[in-house]
Amino acid sequence: RGGAFYETGAVPLELTHLDFIGWDRIGVSAGAAWSFGMVEVAVGYGFIYQGNREVFNSEVRQVQPLTQCQPPFTGPECTVAGQDASPPVVGNGLYQSHIHVGSIAVVTRWGASGK
């Protein structure tokens, strides 16, 4: 068993953040299964590669619950003593990610022995 996929990203560069990694990715997988009477044992492995992303102009800001300062962060509630009090930008930097997925399944068939 095997497979591969390519997924195009849905998140613009300036909205990249750790909670929702949504940029281009490539995945490959392989697996095998063995039958022992009514029991089948299957194993699988998948690797998902997501290319590096470097962000310089992030629009992602620190979450500050209950604050009155809301996007676009230009109102008087975003200023304290003449200083900008809007949440700081936290999304700039280098993003690197890849995923390893492993699985083991044990399957048994009850009742009729049809395949």
Side-chain angles (χ1 to χ4, degrees), residues 10-66:
V11 176
L13 193 63
E14 65 275 5
L15 296 178
T16 301
H17 57 89
L18 295 176
D19 289 342
F20 304 101
I21 298 178
W23 55 91
D24 293 357
R25 57 175 94 188
I26 299 169
V28 294
S29 60
W34 299 271
S35 291
F36 305 97
M38 289 179 46
V39 175
E40 179 180 281
V41 176
V43 296
Y45 171 77
F47 177 75
I48 301 171
Y49 171 77
Q50 301 178 126
N52 296 344
R53 237 184 196 206
E54 193 156 11
V55 180
F56 297 102
N57 61 336
S58 179
E59 294 179 13
V60 178
R61 294 180 178 260
Q62 180 184 35
V63 175
Q64 294 182 343
L66 306 177

Side-chain angles (χ1 to χ4, degrees), residues 64-85:
Q64 294 182 343
L66 306 177
T67 182
Q68 297 299 313
C69 182
Q70 297 293 321
F73 305 110
T74 56
E77 60 278 352
C78 295
T79 304
V80 174
Q83 299 292 319
D84 180 14

